[in-house]
Amino acid sequence: MFTNRAEKLFIWVFFPLALLMPLLLDQNTYYVNKLATILILSIFVMSLDYLVGRCGLVTLGHALFYGLGGYLFVMLAPEYEAVNFWIYTFYVLAIASVVALIVGFIVLRTSGIYMIMITLALAQMCFYFFSDSTEFGGNDGVFIYVKPETHVFGLNLFDLDNPTHFYYLCLLSLFNCLLFFKLIMRSKFGRIVDAVQENPERTTALGYNVFHFRLASYVIASALGAYAGYLFALQYGFVNPSMLSWQTSGTALVMSILGGLGTLYGAILGTLVYEGLHYGFEHLTENWLLPMGVLIILMVLAFRHGLAGYLESLLEKRK
Amino acid sequence: MDITLFLFQLMNGVQYGLLLFLIASGLTLVFGVMGILNLAHGSMYMVGAYLAWYFTNTTGSFGMAAVISVIIALLLGILIERTLIIRLYRRNHLDQVLLTIGLIFVFNALQSLLWGNDPLGVAVPAWLDGAIPLTDMIEYPVYRLFVSGLCILIAIGMYLTINRTRLGMLIRAGESNRDMVECLGVDINRLYTLVFAAGVALAAIAGIVSAPMVSVVPGMGEHVLISCFVVVVIGGMGSIKGAFVGALMVGIVDTFSSIMLPQVSSMMIYILMAVVLLIRPKGLFAN
Amino acid sequence: MSSNITLESGAPVATQAAHKPLSDTEVVLETEALCKYWGGLKALDDLSLQFRDRQLHGIVGPNGAGKSTLLNLLCGTYSPTRGRILHKGEAIESIKPYEFSRRGIGRGFQKTNIYPSATCLENCSIAAQRRVGGSFNIFRSRHSEKLLTEMAEQALEKVGLAHRRDAVASRISYGEQRQLEIATVLATAPCVLLLDEPMAGMGHEESQLIIQLLKTLKQDYCIVLVEHDMDAVFELSDQLTVMVDGQHLITDTVDQVRDDARVQIAYLGQGDEVI
């Protein structure tokens, strides 16, 4: 399933290392939490990478679903009662899919720059909806007092209050997510997704309704983006409108390019490196945006195939 | 709502719309002629406002500050186009988005580095600091009238430039066909630099004249950028006329909804946009 | 659902005389007073044509005659300003572009239009999968279906590209890419083939290959061929339509068209293409 050499190498290094990480860090709560956040972000970035890199649909509003995932949990779950994690995962995925179907129906009628602006505007609309609403705590957001339980047949697999447990839940989710996307790309559906991305005109002429395939992809990616937001909300115990901000979408886009657009595993790579740089710059200067901005500009100008592309060319040379 | 209050709000809406037009016209001009989507366009608005504050304080004159700020903005536009944007002409939209996001980061960092993160205020210049009574109870600030007048003047100027001059002819030709412009023996690079700098200046002017009306705060650029997107999407990407109509619609809807429907007011313009899109997916005045 | 799919198009292969009368076979595609205006420009005006099964219908005319516009109308890329398009007697001018292919109207483009990064087999598999179905199945591997692969291979074989099965499409020669494009259309099991200058930009030998291919294909399909290579069109066409400035000039057999005085004046005597 993982055929590319660079991809194989990355997966064989990353996942075993990630499995050992909590032990290596001696269960240091701060770092384990930090890494769990990176895993969550990786899921979000991967879903965006699929949309932008594999389907050719550039969106600047993916944060809409990230925020939605968090807010959906707050809306649905009773305030002082532990609910079942798996059931609410299903709810979040299902409702986010329905929302994505409606949003996708509007935004996918357009393309290119129009789509970029409209996705951004729609995400912003939701941002304002939540930041103006008194019901959802306005700008401060909402707290989640009780974390869900993860009972399956009476067995509590993960204790979500325990950072290490939560970390492993995120790692499992990320792995499944990668597997799921790889499965899609290998499937008959994936064949047409590739075809639509490479030559939509031809694909229409061969009798495929390109819009349906784009919409299906949009729903899949959005639902997984919402799942990432749901995990994020559970990790920090609150949701607020900044999850929906355009910065969230923009940063995720930067991460996916940094990792190598359309490579899927590159999303993990990009998120790791971006967050690493962020962390490093933040410790150097209060104005970490300055070096980050310069780096992004340089990346666009000179580092177009991302880290995955770099890794692949390295392996190519050594062959 | 009685008729004077209605008129008062209408004037506010139109004034806000005209200001939005200034910014959105720059965005749409740059896209229409050069095919570039500049997300950092809002940052230029912010830069204008901060420069106006800075030079008003150092020179003591708002008018002087405005002139200096516009010149700096033009130079900034030329610099950005020559060093960065020029590398984007043959790239896809995604690269444009990313590079201009990088620019937003840089400008936000510079703003916080140079001027800090506290809200700043610029005083309305004395010669414009007054109000015209509409009724016994309501009066309308002279400065806002001045801003509206200025925006209308600039709009007329743009209309004349685009429709009556050789430069305007090139801009119109550039919108429809790049090769044709080059066939006319025109240095397309010069045209692009000029258009981009003009776009930056338009956003900066909007920022400068806004400075006395709003508080100068970090993040003001992004907020206005997204409103401009709505304007441009409604009007049709690349159409100046569309930007004008779209800006007025957005300005008026935004102003009235904040009085009549305060709970959902900040969403109204997006709802307006969605409705327009469902009816005309390419905007009202798409080519 | 895949069990009842045949690998051939519905028409049985019949042995035919070299020149059959025009009314010999069934009309599969038909235009009635078809018009396409771009603003004031009449790209196509009042065109009524009949395309018959197992015949090759050539369309010629100087640049701007409306040939490509006609093809774009016939495959649904443009929708007509007025007039009708009938497929086996049913009006289809208002159906969606992707439905044309599902009705068996296959389209080759003027510029080579393939999936350059995919292999030749994959190019045809994309097309064949439309018939087999299951395109929304995210669990079934794209390489798992024997029937689908067979159909794709068969399409490659028909155009003589079987030996290029696993070559990446961007790496094969230009002529082969044109063949591949026809193969992808064949893999959708069309009854009508709309071909837009399949020989453009080809050398003599490559052209001969395509001519031979079209000769074989026209025994099974209704082919509408827009082509600038006059020798090829004359050699291949059962019926020939000459268009000028969006107007229909004449439709007849090659010999009749060649002798027609109007054609001599309007087109053949003047343009760059001399016979």
Side-chain angles (χ1 to χ4, degrees), chain B:
Chain B
M1 197 189 295
D2 68 52
I3 187 78
T4 36
L5 191 64
F6 175 81
L7 273 177
F8 178 78
Q9 293 302 343
L10 189 65
M11 281 165 82
N12 270 338
V14 169
Q15 182 265 317
Y16 176 50
L18 286 168
L19 207 60
L20 270 180
F21 165 72
L22 272 200
I23 314 166
S25 62
L27 189 74
T28 207
L29 192 68
V30 167
F31 177 76
V33 177
M34 303 156 65
I36 292 282
L37 176 66
N38 180 14
L39 291 184
H41 196 70
S43 301
M44 305 304 154
Y45 168 83
M46 176 194 78
V47 166
Y50 271 96
L51 285 176
W53 174 82
Y54 179 74
F55 287 111
T56 307
N57 281 2
T58 47
T59 64
S61 151
F62 179 74
M64 183 77 104
V67 174
I68 300 174
S69 306
V70 172
I71 293 170
I72 293 180
L74 276 170
L75 293 176
L76 191 66
I78 294 172
L79 181 76
I80 293 175
E81 199 275 338
R82 287 283 89 188
T83 55
L84 299 174
I85 305 294
I86 193 169
R87 292 160 208 275
L88 287 180
Y89 294 134
R90 294 186 192 283
R91 300 283 194 86
N92 56 25
H93 302 323
L94 188 59
D95 284 354
Q96 301 176 5
V97 167
L98 287 168
L99 188 131
T100 49
I101 284 180
L103 274 178
I104 295 178
F105 279 28
V106 169
F107 278 113
N108 284 349
L110 289 177
Q111 160 263 311
S112 127
L113 211 65
L114 294 173
W115 295 300
N117 290 327
D118 297 329
L120 306 169
V122 177
V124 175
W127 53 285
L128 289 171
D129 194 10
I132 298 169
L134 289 180
T135 63
D136 302 338
M137 301 287 288
I138 305 167
E139 45 185 31
Y140 197 81
V142 174
Y143 185 75
R144 281 177 183 263
L145 279 180
F146 163 77
V147 169
S148 296
L150 186 74
C151 291
I152 291 172
L153 273 182
I154 293 176
I156 292 172
M158 274 174 72
Y159 176 82
L160 291 177
T161 311
I162 288 175
N163 288 301
R164 300 281 162 83
T165 64
R166 184 174 150 75
L167 173 69
M169 187 199 77
L170 290 176
I171 288 173
R172 277 179 289 142
E175 280 177 359
S176 49
N177 192 343
R178 261 161 233 234
D179 300 331
M180 197 173 102
V181 177
E182 279 178 334
C183 283
L184 292 170
V186 175
D187 183 357
I188 194 107
N189 290 328
R190 278 253 288 289
L191 178 70
Y192 281 3
T193 310
L194 193 73
V195 168
F196 191 83
V200 168
L202 282 169
I205 291 172
I208 294 163
V209 297
S210 301
M213 294 189 292
V214 299
S215 59
V216 179
V217 287
M220 64 192 292
E222 283 116 71
H223 183 88
V224 99
L225 175 78
I226 292 160
S227 301
C228 280
F229 276 11
V230 174
V231 166
V232 170
V233 168
I234 289 176
M237 193 85 202
S239 161
I240 304 271
K241 199 207 284 173
F244 190 79
V245 176
L248 285 181
M249 278 169 79
V250 167
I252 291 169
V253 166
D254 195 50
T255 306
F256 277 97
S257 65
S258 66
I259 302 159
M260 294 158 77
L261 303 159
Q263 291 88 9
V264 292
S265 71
S266 45
M267 286 176 66
M268 273 314 285
I269 59 170
Y270 301 101
I271 295 171
L272 175 71
M273 178 193 76
V275 171
V276 169
L277 273 181
L278 282 174
I279 302 164
R280 302 200 60 163
K282 294 205 169 248
L284 295 175
F285 292 89
N287 304 332

Side-chain angles (χ1 to χ4, degrees), chain A residues 109 113-114 117-118 120-121 124-125 128-129 132 246-247 257 261 274 287 289-290 293 296 300-301 304, chain B residues 31 37 91 93-95 98 105 109 112-113 222-223 226 229 236-237 266-267 270 273 277-278 281-282:
Chain A
R109 283 157 57 103
I113 272 184
Y114 254 93
M117 301 208 300
I118 289 157
L120 175 62
Q124 207 62 19
M125 178 172 107
Y128 284 121
F129 173 78
D132 284 0
W246 77 268
Q247 283 93 339
I257 309 286
L261 193 64
Y274 184 96
N287 274 297
L289 275 176
L290 187 61
I296 294 170
V300 176
L301 295 181
R304 298 187 59 191
Chain B
F31 177 76
L37 176 66
R91 300 283 194 86
H93 302 323
L94 188 59
D95 284 354
L98 287 168
F105 279 28
S112 127
L113 211 65
E222 283 116 71
H223 183 88
I226 292 160
F229 276 11
M237 193 85 202
S266 45
M267 286 176 66
Y270 301 101
M273 178 193 76
L277 273 181
L278 282 174
K282 294 205 169 248

